[in-house]
């Protein structure tokens, strides 16, 4: 894992918006988060730092990596994706690089893709990175506080390899439901032309071609920030999280009492607590660190996984469940035997 050195507390945010430490903690459980160093950190550079640690621990070099997967919703460029940028920074040869856009579920989706490649024998050393730089693009005003106070920056990385031992990724389970896609979205700038959300239809440009992506109207209205219907997301998440966790356990003949540790996507501490309560899990069976890092979307699970392992909360033969829910809506789980 890699997180920027810049720690931003809830009290720090009161200087730019009408909020308070009490208000933020009550709604999200977050006390502080990390923000990228401006003009220094990027989504790619943070991922590269995490990747270097993962590769060292896996005892592989850049020459050993035969496939790259990169999950993010905050890429350095609109295109090309961060996968090739990280490849360049790490000095990796001309292998494939796949970019995953599944928001908060990005790491689980990427892990599932990597798992299939490994199990079919196509690749033997897959570098999977998940990284986010939210702080560069949030609305740091009172208008945007419901979203902006939640998110933080950081990166996590893993190296996946085949094994003959009875351990590793036991199964992954992926789901989506696009019927309420706009409930958690960043619609502009985009190429939708208001087709699915008429309220976001751009003014007709005074030109025969183009002018539909970034318009003068969008800039004047400052309409280029993420949107979230918090109650709708919360309501859906507390249903789908438990379902997909139970699905993973059932698929492998396990029950909740067998679970050593659940590492949920760090979306909101209240969601994690509700899921824990529904599943009747003990405090020592659930790992949360959103209090320190905020919601780092695709990076949150690998950051939490790494931190839990570093803190001695994960040991050989432990049964670990990773689960995520996010924009789309998309959700998924992975069951691991460590």
């Amino acid at each position: 894992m890699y997180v920027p050195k810049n720690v931003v507390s809830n009290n720090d945010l009161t200087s730019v918006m009408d909020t308070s430490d009490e208000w933020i903690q009550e709604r999200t459980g977050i006390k502080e988060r990390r923000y990228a160093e401006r003009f220094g950190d990027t989504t790619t550079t943070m991922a590269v730092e995490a990747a270097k640690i993962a590769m060292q621990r896996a005892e592989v070099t850049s020459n050993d990596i035969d496939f790259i997967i990169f999950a993010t919703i905050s890429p350095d460029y609109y295109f090309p994706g961060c996968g090739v940028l990280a490849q360049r920074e790490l000095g990796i040869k001309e292998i494939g690089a796949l970019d995953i856009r599944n928001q908060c579920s990005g790491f689980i989706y990427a892990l599932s893709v990597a798992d299939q490649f490994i199990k079919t024998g196509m690749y033997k050393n897959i570098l999977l990175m998940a990284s986010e730089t939210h702080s560069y693009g949030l609305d740091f005003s009172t208008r945007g506080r419901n979203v902006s106070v939640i998110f933080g920056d950081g990166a996590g990385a893993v190296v996946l390899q085949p094994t003959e031992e009875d351990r590793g990724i036991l199964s992954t389970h992926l789901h989506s439901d696009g019927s309420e896609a706009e409930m958690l979205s960043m619609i502009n700038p985009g190429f939708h032309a208001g087709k699915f959300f008429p309220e976001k239809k751009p003014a007709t440009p005074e030109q025969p071609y183009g002018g539909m992506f970034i318009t003068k109207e969008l800039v004047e209205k400052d309409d280029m920030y993420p949107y979230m219907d918090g109650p709708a997301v919360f309501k859906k998440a507390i249903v789908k999280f438990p379902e997909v966790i139970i699905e993973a356990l059932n698929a492998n003949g396990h029950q909740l009492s067998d679970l050593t540790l659940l590492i949920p996507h760090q979306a909101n501490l209240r969601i994690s607590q509700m899921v824990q309560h529904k599943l009747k899990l003990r405090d020592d069976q659930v790992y949360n660190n959103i209090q320190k890092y905020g919601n780092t979307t695709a990076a949150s699970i690998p950051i939490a996984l790494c931190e839990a392992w570093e803190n001695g909360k994960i040991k050989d033969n432990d049964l670990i469940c990773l689960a995520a829910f996010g924009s789309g809506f998309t959700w998924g789980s992975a069951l691991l035997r460590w």
Side-chain angles (χ1 to χ4, degrees):
M1 61 173 282
Y2 174 86
V3 290
K5 297 180 178 64
N6 186 20
V7 179
V8 179
S9 70
N10 292 340
N11 285 327
D12 290 332
L13 294 179
T14 63
S15 66
V16 294
M17 63 178 71
D18 181 13
T19 190
S20 69
D21 176 60
E22 181 182 19
W23 187 87
I24 296 171
Q25 286 205 53
E26 180 182 341
R27 287 161 177 77
T28 69
I30 299 168
K31 298 179 181 179
E32 60 188 36
R33 72 286 292 150
R34 303 295 182 98
Y35 283 169
E37 179 186 348
R38 296 168 72 117
F39 308 108
D41 294 318
T42 76
T43 296
T44 296
T45 65
M46 290 191 296
V48 165
E49 293 306 311
K52 289 176 180 176
I53 299 169
M55 290 164 63
Q56 181 182 30
R57 289 174 174 172
E59 299 181 348
V60 298
T61 69
S62 58
N63 291 327
D64 298 314
I65 301 300
D66 49 12
F67 196 69
I68 293 168
I69 304 180
F70 200 118
T72 187
I73 61 167
S74 52
D76 291 25
Y77 305 143
Y78 198 89
F79 67 87
C82 289
V84 296
L85 302 182
Q87 178 187 27
R88 178 176 66 187
E89 294 303 302
L90 290 165
I92 297 174
K93 57 186 181 292
E94 294 180 353
I95 59 171
L98 173 67
D99 292 273
I100 298 283
R101 281 288 304 272
N102 280 89
Q103 300 70 248
C104 298
S105 302
F107 182 76
I108 298 295
Y109 268 73
L111 195 69
S112 183
V113 171
D115 183 39
Q116 312 316 313
F117 276 137
I118 293 287
K119 285 177 176 173
T120 61
M122 187 166 184
Y123 299 117
K124 296 188 182 305
N125 289 285
I126 296 180
L127 174 59
L128 167 50
M129 295 166 277
S131 182
E132 304 288 3
T133 311
H134 294 302
S135 64
Y136 291 174
L138 295 172
D139 180 3
F140 286 101
S141 70
T142 300
R143 178 189 64 180
R145 67 182 177 181
N146 288 348
V147 173
S148 298
V149 301
I150 297 172
F151 294 95
D153 304 338
V158 297
V159 174
L160 291 103
Q161 301 170 318
T163 179
E164 296 299 325
E165 300 176 34
D166 187 22
R167 63 190 182 105
I169 300 171
L170 303 180
S171 64
T172 57
H173 308 270
L174 307 178
H175 299 276
S176 66
D177 175 5
S179 62
E180 297 177 294
E182 287 79 15
M183 291 297 97
L184 177 51
S185 59
M186 184 171 171
I187 294 173
N188 291 320
F191 295 103
H192 55 84
K195 178 67 176 179
F196 305 113
F197 206 154
E199 294 91 328
K200 296 291 185 179
K201 184 177 181 179
T204 304
E206 297 178 358
Q207 59 191 76
Y209 311 113
M212 300 285 280
F213 180 55
I214 297 178
T215 66
K216 181 180 178 181
E217 179 188 33
L218 283 181
V219 176
E220 289 176 347
K221 288 184 176 180
D222 215 14
D223 188 14
M224 292 183 284
Y225 293 113
Y227 167 79
M228 178 176 67
D229 182 334
V233 175
F234 189 97
K235 183 178 179 180
K236 189 94 169 181
I238 61 173
V239 172
K240 296 306 177 183
F241 255 120
E243 283 183 1
V244 81
I245 292 165
I246 295 295
E247 179 183 4
L249 290 168
N250 287 344
N252 294 279
H254 290 292
Q255 51 194 5
L256 287 163
S257 58
D258 298 326
L259 190 61
T260 306
L261 196 65
L262 166 66
I263 300 180
H265 159 57
Q266 305 295 298
N268 184 312
L269 186 61
R270 307 301 167 228
I271 292 175
S272 294
Q273 290 171 334
M274 183 71 77
V275 171
Q276 178 181 344
H277 176 73
K278 279 192 165 190
L279 297 178
K280 297 181 172 59
L281 295 173
R282 304 183 307 273
D283 288 347
D284 66 315
Q285 286 181 288
V286 183
Y287 190 82
N288 292 301
N289 63 1
I290 191 173
Q291 304 93 319
K292 296 189 297 181
Y293 304 120
N295 180 345
T296 56
T297 53
S300 81
I301 288 178
I303 288 174
L305 178 64
C306 179
E307 190 174 68
W309 177 79
E310 289 179 346
N311 292 338
K313 297 184 181 299
I314 298 176
K315 299 179 177 62
D316 285 353
N317 208 44
D318 282 352
L319 190 65
I320 312 296
C321 186
L322 313 177
F325 176 88
S327 172
F329 292 114
T330 64
W331 61 99
S333 64
L335 196 66
L336 289 70
R337 177 67 68 182
W338 198 257

